[in-house]
Amino acid sequence: FGVIEEERRIDFQDPNFLDTRITSRNKMKSFGADLGLQYSYIFSQKYDQDKKLKERWSMTAGFSYTPEMTWSTSLKELGETTQEFSLVSFPIDTTYIINGTGTTRIPQRITGGLSLNYQGNKGREISLAVEYRTQEWSTSERTINGEIFNPQLADFTESSIGIRFVPKSIQDAQNIFGRAHYYFGVRTSETYLQLDGYQLQDEAFTFAINIPMLASKSISRFNFGMELGQRGTVDNNLLQENYLNLQIGVSLSPYFKNAWFRQRKYD
């Protein structure tokens, strides 16, 4: 459940013409499900004379499916003519108002992925993963008060590939960079947005590093991520967006020997 708010505007540079602003508020709710299946297989593994892992090759495959859902929707939409004064838009007149209820159909989503994993001695790990997602947004539609609104969306597809690298385990690493986990990825997608017959593309490069807390014996870690991408095109007088997303986070996990985590025998 939740609310989706949208605003569309037409602004004229000539002050003799009034601008147009359309704001809509969609309140939606429904029940749905995500179904998933995962399979892992070990190709080979070797141990040394101390029964410690020396080498392991494995594979993991996954598949998820989200069925088509029909959301109960209430819509409030307001159309106005506006005029801008000192970079602020003021409403002049109301052109139309829509208050109605109905449904919104969200298409099914299919995701599949495969990863190849290598584990060596002293905790070294390398994983190569690929994933593909698709969703038929061209079949999406909204019905309000018996009238069908087709958003004219396109089918969404996305392909991505990524690498995860762990130099050594926490016990074997000599410095913080040896204990960190590194992630590199590239993705490309055909978005569900299309303008003037052109389906907008989105391409991005991602990088992340996962650093353990040196003062903690637990597996708590700091997380830093970056996404550098490009969306759209300048062809056919369209717009192109270059973006940079930065993410900082922390994951806290208690150490099983910490006193506060152990259950007391006597209170």
Side-chain angles (χ1 to χ4, degrees), residues 83-114:
Q83 198 164 27
E84 187 175 292
F85 297 97
S86 300
L87 301 179
V88 179
S89 296
F90 294 91
I92 302 299
D93 195 9
T94 299
T95 57
Y96 72 91
I97 298 177
I98 296 178
N99 284 313
T101 58
T103 58
T104 299
R105 188 170 66 187
I106 304 297
Q108 65 179 4
R109 181 177 60 199
I110 299 175
T111 304
L114 176 69

Side-chain angles (χ1 to χ4, degrees), residues 164-168 170 175-184 207-213 218-225 247 249-252:
R164 174 178 177 265
F165 175 63
V166 180
K168 293 182 179 181
I170 295 179
N175 52 55
I176 189 173
F177 296 104
R179 300 179 179 182
H181 298 183
Y182 302 90
Y183 304 84
F184 306 89
F207 167 77
I209 183 171
N210 185 290
I211 302 175
M213 296 183 182
S218 69
I219 57 175
S220 300
R221 290 178 172 269
F222 292 108
N223 307 295
F224 302 92
Q247 299 178 354
V250 60
S251 58
L252 299 176

Side-chain angles (χ1 to χ4, degrees), residues 115-132:
S115 69
L116 299 176
N117 313 295
Y118 167 79
Q119 293 176 272
N121 58 357
K122 296 185 178 181
R124 173 167 294 183
E125 295 183 30
I126 302 176
S127 299
L128 174 65
V130 294
E131 185 183 77
Y132 178 78

Side-chain angles (χ1 to χ4, degrees), residues 129 131 158-163 184-188 203-207:
E131 185 183 77
E158 181 180 79
S159 302
S160 58
I161 182 172
I163 297 176
F184 306 89
V186 177
R187 64 174 175 82
T188 178
E203 299 177 345
F205 166 79
T206 59
F207 167 77

Side-chain angles (χ1 to χ4, degrees), residues 18-265:
L18 295 178
D19 301 328
T20 299
R21 180 174 62 190
I22 300 174
T23 57
S24 62
R25 177 181 172 88
N26 299 277
K27 189 174 182 181
M28 306 168 63
K29 59 183 179 180
S30 179
F31 288 96
D34 289 326
L35 308 177
L37 182 65
Q38 183 171 290
Y39 174 76
S40 297
Y41 179 77
I42 298 176
F43 296 108
S44 65
Q45 56 183 356
K46 299 178 182 179
Y47 294 88
D48 59 17
Q49 58 185 4
D50 296 326
K51 296 185 178 181
K52 291 183 178 181
L53 180 64
K54 184 177 180 180
E55 183 181 81
R56 174 185 293 161
W57 290 90
S58 62
M59 175 200 72
T60 301
F63 172 83
S64 68
Y65 173 71
T66 302
E68 180 182 292
M69 293 186 294
T70 300
W71 294 68
S72 175
T73 306
S74 61
L75 170 66
K76 293 183 180 180
E77 186 168 283
L78 173 64
E80 300 172 297
T81 55
T82 63
Q83 198 164 27
E84 187 175 292
F85 297 97
S86 300
L87 301 179
V88 179
S89 296
F90 294 91
I92 302 299
D93 195 9
T94 299
T95 57
Y96 72 91
I97 298 177
I98 296 178
N99 284 313
T101 58
T103 58
T104 299
R105 188 170 66 187
I106 304 297
Q108 65 179 4
R109 181 177 60 199
I110 299 175
T111 304
L114 176 69
S115 69
L116 299 176
N117 313 295
Y118 167 79
Q119 293 176 272
N121 58 357
K122 296 185 178 181
R124 173 167 294 183
E125 295 183 30
I126 302 176
S127 299
L128 174 65
V130 294
E131 185 183 77
Y132 178 78
R133 293 195 301 161
T134 181
Q135 194 166 11
E136 297 178 346
W137 281 103
S138 60
T139 62
S140 175
E141 64 180 21
R142 179 175 297 162
T143 303
I144 302 295
N145 294 340
E147 184 177 356
I148 298 177
F149 297 86
N150 192 328
Q152 301 294 328
L153 301 178
D155 292 340
F156 168 82
T157 59
E158 181 180 79
S159 302
S160 58
I161 182 172
I163 297 176
R164 174 178 177 265
F165 175 63
V166 180
K168 293 182 179 181
S169 66
I170 295 179
Q171 294 78 13
D172 296 312
Q174 301 297 323
N175 52 55
I176 189 173
F177 296 104
R179 300 179 179 182
H181 298 183
Y182 302 90
Y183 304 84
F184 306 89
V186 177
R187 64 174 175 82
T188 178
S189 62
E190 297 277 348
T191 70
Y192 54 78
L193 299 176
Q194 55 181 356
L195 299 174
D196 295 337
Y198 178 83
Q199 188 173 357
L200 298 185
Q201 297 182 351
D202 188 359
E203 299 177 345
F205 166 79
T206 59
F207 167 77
I209 183 171
N210 185 290
I211 302 175
M213 296 183 182
L214 295 181
S216 173
K217 293 183 179 181
S218 69
I219 57 175
S220 300
R221 290 178 172 269
F222 292 108
N223 307 295
F224 302 92
M226 179 197 72
E227 182 183 43
L228 178 64
Q230 184 180 91
R231 182 185 296 113
T233 180
V234 294
D235 297 338
N236 300 326
N237 295 321
L238 297 177
L239 296 178
Q240 180 176 289
E241 176 187 18
N242 299 318
Y243 59 88
L244 173 64
N245 294 326
L246 299 176
Q247 299 178 354
I248 300 176
V250 60
S251 58
L252 299 176
S253 301
Y255 183 51
F256 72 96
K257 289 186 178 181
N258 287 349
W260 66 270
F261 190 67
R262 291 159 54 189
Q263 184 178 4
R264 296 171 181 259
K265 292 184 179 181

